[in-house]
Amino acid sequence: MQLNIGKICNLCCKHCHVQAGPHRKEYMSKEIMDDCLFVFKKHNFKTMDITGGAPEMIPNFEYLVAQSRKIAKEVIVRTNLCILLQEKYRHLIEFYKDNKVTIFCSLPFYTKETTDGIRGEGVYDSSIEVLKKLNSVGYGKDLTLNLVYNPDGAFLPDSQKYLENEYRKKLSEKYGIVFNNLFTITNNPIGRFGMSLYKKDHLKSYMLKLFNAYNEDTVEFLMCRNEINVSYDGYIFDCDFNQAIDLKINSNKIHISDYKNHNFSKRKIALGNHCYACTAGAGSS
Ligand code: SF4
Ligand code: SF4
């Protein structure tokens, strides 16, 4: 179960398909969090995957993590790292450690120029500082710290294995930073990234690139096949890309509260042209 608990974020990245930022106000109420926890337990979900925006900035975030810890085999938080340097959120590094949270963090590249170009001035240095702090409490060793790479533009990522080796070498040599895995994500042509492609008249050529790179072997592993995604206001989607374009699940029960008293039935995944981002090359996320 993946929860997008709000659109509020301290950053405003140009590739953000959620279109999150400091100006956004939407967040999940405690009531909806409780419905998610109830449904999670009742239907025997295994992994709670908490994302945003910046999930740390959402009221009752710590409550959600602590309650999830009691019922989930694994609790994942997707963090942008820099938020953990702010006074109000510094303590969360210890909190993550105490709750054995698996951390996924986006680091667009191992160089300052590219990362700051995508996420904003100063983000790279802040991210490096937080990665060191996470290492110092055991992340990248006993606790899982996974990095996420996405291309700086309208092209497919290089091989995941190659990039993982490069990141490992560069971050270790320069900063002594360790991590567990690196995942590559293909930019999805929706949200802020889709709009920038459209404005530059690159949307068609990027779509064609994705279409031509279709790889049938990726289909078995698409994340929509074994997860549900819940929006801040409790609606269910097959994945957060579908949520970003408001493409709800194929069902007459589309809200998390509907499943407090009903079972999930087999359904057809809601697909669109944006799905070619998940099936291109070696696949995505
Ligand atoms: S990509 Fe992540 S860190 Fe960047 S604005 Fe979107 S939610 Fe925030
Ligand atoms: S293939 Fe489509 S529905 Fe499945 S995860 Fe990708 S965008 Fe979502």
Side-chain angles (χ1 to χ4, degrees):
M1 181 182 289
Q2 183 182 57
L3 310 184
N4 281 70
I5 62 174
K7 294 184 186 287
I8 306 165
C9 189
N10 53 322
L11 302 181
C12 203
C13 308
K14 65 182 189 187
H15 65 276
C16 185
H17 64 271
V18 179
Q19 307 202 60
H23 58 293
R24 300 301 294 255
K25 305 271 181 262
E26 307 91 325
Y27 66 86
M28 186 178 274
S29 66
K30 185 160 179 287
E31 190 187 0
I32 299 223
M33 286 180 182
D34 283 334
D35 284 352
C36 292
L37 290 162
F38 183 90
V39 171
F40 187 103
K41 190 166 180 216
K42 178 180 166 88
H43 299 287
N44 203 21
F45 281 79
K46 302 282 183 287
T47 303
M48 185 66 97
D49 180 354
I50 303 169
T51 184
E56 293 93 340
M57 296 176 79
I58 305 302
N60 299 305
F61 166 69
E62 288 174 60
Y63 165 81
L64 177 64
V65 171
Q67 295 303 311
S68 300
R69 181 68 284 164
K70 293 179 191 164
I71 55 176
K73 282 210 165 81
E74 184 178 26
V75 180
I76 296 172
V77 171
R78 295 178 188 253
T79 180
N80 66 36
L81 297 173
C82 336
I83 189 71
L84 297 169
L85 277 188
Q86 292 189 14
E87 189 60 38
K88 194 172 169 191
Y89 307 107
R90 277 170 194 267
H91 66 284
L92 290 174
I93 291 180
E94 282 292 324
F95 174 78
Y96 288 154
K97 180 191 93 174
D98 294 343
N99 285 281
K100 296 191 170 41
V101 167
T102 295
I103 293 185
F104 273 74
C105 55
S106 180
L107 186 67
F109 206 49
Y110 48 73
T111 63
K112 184 176 167 61
E113 297 68 32
T114 306
T115 298
D116 285 359
I118 294 174
R119 312 203 99 179
E121 195 62 34
V123 168
Y124 181 77
D125 290 341
S126 301
S127 301
I128 293 295
E129 196 178 333
V130 174
L131 285 170
K132 285 182 185 168
K133 284 178 190 284
L134 288 167
N135 279 172
S136 73
V137 300
Y139 275 100
K141 301 159 198 163
D142 307 335
L143 297 159
T144 307
L145 173 64
N146 292 328
L147 306 189
V148 178
Y149 160 90
N150 58 283
D152 175 26
F155 55 92
L156 296 179
D158 274 335
S159 133
Q160 187 164 284
K161 200 72 226 157
Y162 166 76
L163 280 169
E164 184 178 272
N165 288 339
E166 287 295 293
Y167 266 70
R168 216 178 276 294
K169 208 165 74 190
K170 297 281 186 326
L171 293 178
S172 157
E173 278 170 6
K174 203 158 179 200
Y175 308 106
I177 288 170
V178 291
F179 61 92
N180 297 89
N181 307 291
L182 176 121
F183 293 94
T184 57
I185 291 190
T186 304
N187 287 323
N188 204 304
I190 56 174
R192 206 171 278 147
F193 180 64
M195 190 51 76
S196 81
L197 289 175
Y198 177 76
K199 281 184 183 156
K200 292 178 196 155
D201 203 19
H202 290 164
L203 187 57
K204 202 169 164 190
S205 59
Y206 185 61
M207 280 307 305
L208 206 57
K209 194 174 282 176
L210 298 178
F211 177 79
N212 287 334
Y214 176 74
N215 173 6
E216 197 173 330
D217 292 343
T218 61
V219 173
E220 191 186 337
F221 305 102
L222 295 173
M223 63 180 173
C224 49
R225 302 187 72 148
N226 53 28
E227 75 160 19
I228 63 161
N229 169 276
V230 186
S231 61
Y232 76 92
D233 49 358
Y235 288 96
I236 300 179
F237 301 84
D238 292 310
C239 71
D240 72 332
F241 298 125
N242 284 10
Q243 187 197 138
I245 57 170
D246 199 26
L247 182 61
K248 297 197 172 70
I249 52 169
N250 282 316
S251 170
N252 57 5
K253 296 183 183 62
I254 56 173
H255 197 266
I256 195 72
S257 57
D258 295 332
Y259 294 91
K260 287 162 81 175
N261 297 312
H262 291 98
N263 288 327
F264 286 91
S265 52
K266 202 167 177 180
R267 63 175 195 277
K268 200 171 170 186
I269 293 167
L271 301 173
N273 283 341
H274 64 294
C275 295
Y276 282 112
C278 298
T279 54
S284 179
S285 57

